[in-house]
Amino acid sequence: MPFIPHTETDIDEMLGVIGAKSFDALFDEIPAELRCGALQHVPHRLTEMEVVRLMHGRAHQDRRGLNFIGAGAYEHHIPAAVWEITTRGEYYSAYTPYQAEASQGTLQLLYEYQSMMTALTGMDVSNASMYDGASALAEAVLMAERSHKAGKRKVLVPRTLHPLYRKVLFAIVDAQQIEIVELPHDAHGRTDLKAIENFEAGSFTSLVIAQPNFFGVLEDVDALTDAARAKGAMVIGVVNPVSLALLKPPGEWGATGADIVCGDGQPLGAPLASGGPYFGFLTAKQAFVRQMPGRIVGRTVDLDGKPGYTLTLQAREQHIRRSKATSNICTNQGLLVTAATIHMSILGAEGLARVASASLQHTIELAQLLIEIPGVRKVFDAPGFHEAAIALPKPVAPVLEALASEHGILGGFDLSADFPELGNALLICATETKTPADLRHYRDALADVLAKA
């Protein structure tokens, strides 16, 4: 339906009925020092024409170039049919399916999505999605704390985890007195297994394992999972969903598999879109289903034996008594999940495996071309997926700026700020969208920039 803002008259009439003198009076319980104040950089009001011009200007700021940046947001090919279907009215404007009798299409789509995610991860149950991968990880840690009755409110997090995930995790769980202990990585870019062995049994609740990790390196997930189990801890996997078309699913890690698996679904049909919106996924073993945040859609049959779908698990406290809720996340990224479900349906298992294989091969070829340049080398020698860290003989930031301004190439993610111990390190990524000519063009452009520097 169309959105029509309230007029000043509407607002005055509503305030009169409520008995409030002004709109601000509705929030008088909030101390003044906690309020954000005036939004100084937001224009008072704009016409439709002015808004269109503003958005075109913002869009123009996004550099269009040959993209070799990964770092959690990946440029994959999205079949044209994905968003042609996703933007149909019945999907584009759909909200929470509270009324099952009026929302069977939305509910069935979410059920199919859940089925696909459990198949990918090798887990028992999936919720209907989360805000993003980082907040999904934070919720997974909170799930583990609630499920691990004898826990010490401590989680082990590898330094090889995405730095933004680590920051979001700390911001969310630190306020709940959950201690985060960072684990170092070894010379191969993998989480140091000996660091886990130094902890006493029962001294931590869970271990986070990123596969592949932020450097693109593949962790020894079996050894890490078994090491956590030996200490009486739960295992939380953070995975790239595309990689699962080739790699062992987390449900089969070690002797018993991971307990909770999460990540960002952006690689499954979501465009880069200036950083979002994306969506997070969260799957788990059946034993922890009642600790899952969000909602779960179930399939049943009606009195006539026809299939039907409904919200099977969703704590009403999330909407009413929020202080009593296991989680205050009560919605999902429905539109992005719609695109992901259609994307996976179109590609199928074979298509997703082809995407993963091509991305892996192109990154290997790109890294090999770049280390032919004098002074450029790989940082780690361990096997990886579709990202790799390389070391440059010059500071990374000016090199990236020159690649963009002189050659139209977005050359990668500068690791020096988050991982200064690696020196002038650059994280590169190549997906199935890159051609051999693209890879050679990057090699030649980097050689030219380094020669001029």
Side-chain angles (χ1 to χ4, degrees):
M1 65 179 67
F3 175 75
I4 303 174
H6 298 302
T7 65
E8 295 294 335
T9 301
D10 294 333
I11 294 173
D12 290 340
E13 290 178 355
M14 287 188 286
L15 290 174
V17 172
I18 295 172
K21 294 181 178 180
S22 67
F23 184 78
D24 290 337
L26 298 177
F27 307 97
D28 58 3
E29 293 182 356
I30 302 175
E33 62 271 17
L34 297 181
R35 301 184 193 183
C36 65
L39 302 177
Q40 299 177 357
H41 300 291
V42 177
H44 177 57
R45 63 183 57 175
L46 296 174
T47 65
E48 179 181 345
M49 181 176 64
E50 290 169 331
V51 170
V52 170
R53 172 168 289 192
L54 173 66
M55 297 310 295
H56 277 300
R58 295 285 172 83
H60 185 69
Q61 294 176 4
D62 287 341
R63 291 178 174 175
R64 300 286 298 179
L66 195 56
N67 180 22
F68 292 95
I69 308 175
Y74 304 100
E75 184 181 42
H76 288 292
H77 172 69
I78 303 173
V82 171
W83 283 92
E84 181 67 25
I85 299 172
T86 302
T87 52
R88 286 174 58 95
E90 56 265 49
Y91 289 134
Y92 203 51
S93 60
Y95 185 55
T96 301
Y98 291 122
Q99 294 175 282
E101 66 277 11
S103 308
Q104 285 298 292
T106 299
L107 290 166
Q108 181 177 355
L109 182 139
L110 292 174
Y111 179 83
E112 300 295 348
Y113 159 79
Q114 293 169 181
S115 302
M116 292 176 181
M117 296 314 298
T118 54
L120 266 181
T121 59
M123 305 304 286
D124 299 324
V125 292
S126 166
N127 72 3
S129 81
M130 309 290 284
Y131 290 139
D132 54 32
S135 61
L137 172 60
E139 288 292 333
V141 169
L142 295 177
M143 273 184 66
E145 290 292 336
R146 294 192 297 269
S147 303
H148 200 283
K149 303 300 183 182
K152 297 297 183 180
R153 299 193 72 77
K154 178 186 296 183
V155 56
L156 304 188
V157 178
R159 185 159 168 74
T160 57
L161 180 69
H162 195 304
L164 293 182
Y165 280 42
R166 284 188 277 126
K167 291 177 181 178
V168 171
L169 177 61
F170 179 83
I172 292 177
V173 308
D174 179 65
Q176 303 196 38
Q177 289 76 52
I178 298 173
E179 182 184 359
I180 297 175
V181 179
E182 282 198 352
L183 299 178
H185 61 79
D186 59 23
H188 305 288
R190 293 193 180 105
T191 300
D192 191 349
L193 187 60
K194 294 180 180 179
I196 301 173
E197 296 172 350
N198 291 333
F199 286 88
E200 295 182 1
S203 63
F204 61 98
T205 303
S206 58
L207 168 68
V208 175
I209 304 175
Q211 179 75 329
N213 66 31
F214 187 64
F215 303 135
V217 172
L218 297 180
E219 298 276 8
D220 188 349
V221 293
D222 292 334
L224 291 171
T225 299
D226 291 340
R229 287 280 184 266
K231 301 296 183 179
M234 296 175 63
V235 174
I236 301 171
V238 181
V239 297
N240 179 331
V242 172
S243 74
L244 296 180
L246 299 179
L247 302 178
K248 178 190 297 186
E252 299 177 9
W253 290 355
T256 57
D259 297 293
I260 307 170
V261 181
C262 59
D264 204 296
Q266 182 274 329
L268 302 175
L272 291 174
S274 302
Y278 303 150
F279 75 92
F281 60 88
L282 183 64
T283 63
K285 290 182 177 178
Q286 181 70 32
F288 310 116
V289 65
R290 290 196 174 273
Q291 295 297 338
M292 293 189 80
R295 52 176 64 98
I296 297 176
V297 175
R299 183 180 186 273
T300 185
V301 293
D302 63 15
L303 293 177
D304 298 322
K306 297 179 180 178
Y309 303 87
T310 187
L311 292 177
T312 305
L313 287 177
Q314 181 181 219
R316 294 303 299 172
E317 285 81 2
Q318 293 176 184
H319 303 272
I320 302 170
R321 295 188 301 166
R322 298 188 68 181
S323 63
K324 303 292 185 181
T326 54
S327 169
N328 283 333
I329 290 184
C330 58
T331 188
N332 63 68
Q333 299 287 66
L335 187 66
L336 281 303
V337 166
T338 300
T341 307
I342 297 168
H343 185 80
M344 289 187 284
S345 299
I346 291 174
L347 265 62
E350 181 181 350
L352 198 62
R354 288 182 179 180
V355 169
S357 297
S359 299
L360 171 61
Q361 185 60 35
H362 290 170
T363 298
I364 293 173
E365 294 172 358
L366 176 61
Q368 189 59 45
L369 285 171
L370 296 184
I371 62 175
E372 294 175 357
I373 303 171
V376 178
R377 60 177 177 82
K378 289 190 68 175
V379 177
F380 305 114
D381 58 3
F385 181 50
H386 73 341
E387 284 170 287
I390 62 171
L392 304 181
K394 304 288 183 180
V396 175
V399 171
L400 290 178
E401 182 59 36
L403 284 171
S405 60
E406 298 175 17
H407 299 276
I409 293 176
L410 306 179
F413 181 85
D414 187 352
L415 292 170
S416 58
D418 295 297
F419 303 92
E421 68 274 14
L422 300 181
N424 299 321
L426 173 66
L427 188 67
I428 57 172
C429 174
T431 65
E432 83 284 5
T433 62
K434 300 301 175 285
T435 67
D438 293 334
L439 306 184
R440 291 192 297 271
H441 179 42
Y442 186 13
R443 187 267 317 274
D444 295 340
L446 181 59
D448 177 66
V449 168
L450 291 176
K452 292 178 180 178

